[in-house]
Amino acid sequence: DAKTTQPTSMDCAEGRAANLPCNHSTISGNEYVYWYRQIHSQGPQYIIHGLKNNETNEMASLIITEDRKSSTLILPHATLRDTAVYYCIVINTGTASKLTFGTGTRLQVTL
Amino acid sequence: ETGVTQTPRHLVMGMTNKKSLKCEQHLGHNAMYWYKQSAKKPLELMFVYNFKEQTENNSVPSRFSPECPNSSHLFLHLHTLQPEDSALYLCASSQRQGAQETQYFGPGTRLLVL
């Protein structure tokens, strides 16, 4: 199973774009990149996922490099409520039912 | 709101008590999950139910007993717990469809065992 690497923490000013990187250099062709976040003491929240094309929804954009070895989650206009731990995970058919989160990136949005 | 609700949100129990956690999903999903999240530790999968049948038990001690009466409801029955079982217990649901299966989590039950 592909492992992911994320920075431990990042800061972002409110109103600016937050760009959260993730490395998944051992990703296989049938594996999806998923992003979740967890605000303190709440359940994890699904954000977005993708295979190889860039994706956008009402919460965020996901940019996946052409070789699929890394991706970036973009929160276009970060707010204080986006302060959370962000998890990048790689999922295939065998692991889709067994989510495993690493340590993630702690994003602190400041005034 | 994710469409997955959990009750109670907070629970304090003694080691000799019996209590139950309840999860309900309003998403029409066919799979439900229990996870445990201890302080400073990663998420741990406990149980998986597919179409009401248990398909995964991740070596969970028998003092945790799950029950899935239908595809919308999931319970976790607790008895003779230990203080180290204090954690955030999370329920999730999904529609089984291979690698694009997205799990949606409830808010969790914060359990303290005294």
Side-chain angles (χ1 to χ4, degrees):
Chain A
D1 296 337
K3 184 181 172 181
T4 62
T5 306
Q6 300 176 251
T8 303
S9 64
M10 294 182 65
D11 291 332
C12 179
E14 190 177 34
R16 305 298 292 266
N19 298 292
L20 292 90
C22 180
N23 284 322
H24 31 79
S25 57
T26 60
I27 192 170
S28 299
N30 63 345
E31 292 184 313
Y32 286 76
V33 179
Y34 270 74
W35 284 83
Y36 283 80
R37 73 179 182 184
Q38 190 168 21
I39 295 168
H40 183 62
S41 291
Q42 296 182 23
Q45 179 187 22
Y46 164 75
I47 302 173
I48 198 167
H49 74 279
L51 183 63
K52 52 185 175 182
N53 298 322
N54 297 338
E55 301 289 340
T56 295
N57 63 21
E58 65 278 3
M59 287 184 69
S61 294
L62 175 61
I63 308 298
I64 303 174
T65 57
E66 195 167 335
D67 63 6
R68 303 213 318 127
K69 293 180 186 286
S70 66
S71 60
T72 301
L73 179 74
I74 301 173
L75 307 179
H77 306 286
T79 71
L80 297 177
R81 282 186 282 187
D82 292 320
T83 293
V85 179
Y86 287 76
Y87 299 100
C88 166
I89 55 177
V90 172
I91 293 175
N92 57 42
T93 303
T95 59
S97 64
K98 307 171 187 178
L99 291 188
T100 304
F101 293 176
T103 53
T105 296
R106 182 169 297 280
L107 175 69
Q108 180 69 53
V109 180
T110 57
L111 290 171
Chain B
E1 286 295 325
T2 62
V4 181
T5 59
Q6 290 186 244
T7 54
R9 294 293 308 277
H10 302 271
L11 179 62
V12 180
M13 60 187 289
M15 289 190 283
T16 57
N17 292 157
K18 287 186 181 181
K19 297 285 184 185
S20 295
L21 309 185
K22 179 183 176 182
C23 175
E24 184 173 0
Q25 59 98 358
H26 310 274
L27 301 168
H29 289 163
N30 54 23
M32 296 187 77
Y33 311 79
W34 279 117
Y35 288 88
K36 174 184 177 182
Q37 189 172 40
S38 303
K40 314 263 182 188
K41 286 186 181 178
L43 206 64
E44 298 173 55
L45 178 67
M46 299 175 74
F47 301 103
V48 180
Y49 276 82
N50 263 333
F51 296 102
K52 305 186 299 178
E53 300 297 320
Q54 188 181 123
T55 56
E56 186 92 19
N57 176 338
N58 201 23
S59 303
V60 181
S62 59
R63 58 185 184 269
F64 295 91
S65 174
E67 179 190 1
C68 188
N70 55 61
S71 56
S72 298
H73 294 86
L74 185 64
F75 295 88
L76 188 62
H77 304 298
L78 317 171
H79 65 98
T80 58
L81 294 193
Q82 304 298 310
E84 59 265 29
D85 296 322
S86 299
L88 181 68
Y89 288 85
L90 293 157
C91 173
S93 74
S94 70
Q95 185 65 23
R96 302 311 304 273
Q97 51 185 35
Q100 284 208 76
E101 177 181 332
T102 300
Q103 292 190 29
Y104 294 89
F105 286 82
T109 294
R110 175 75 59 189
L111 174 66
L112 177 62
V113 181
L114 300 175

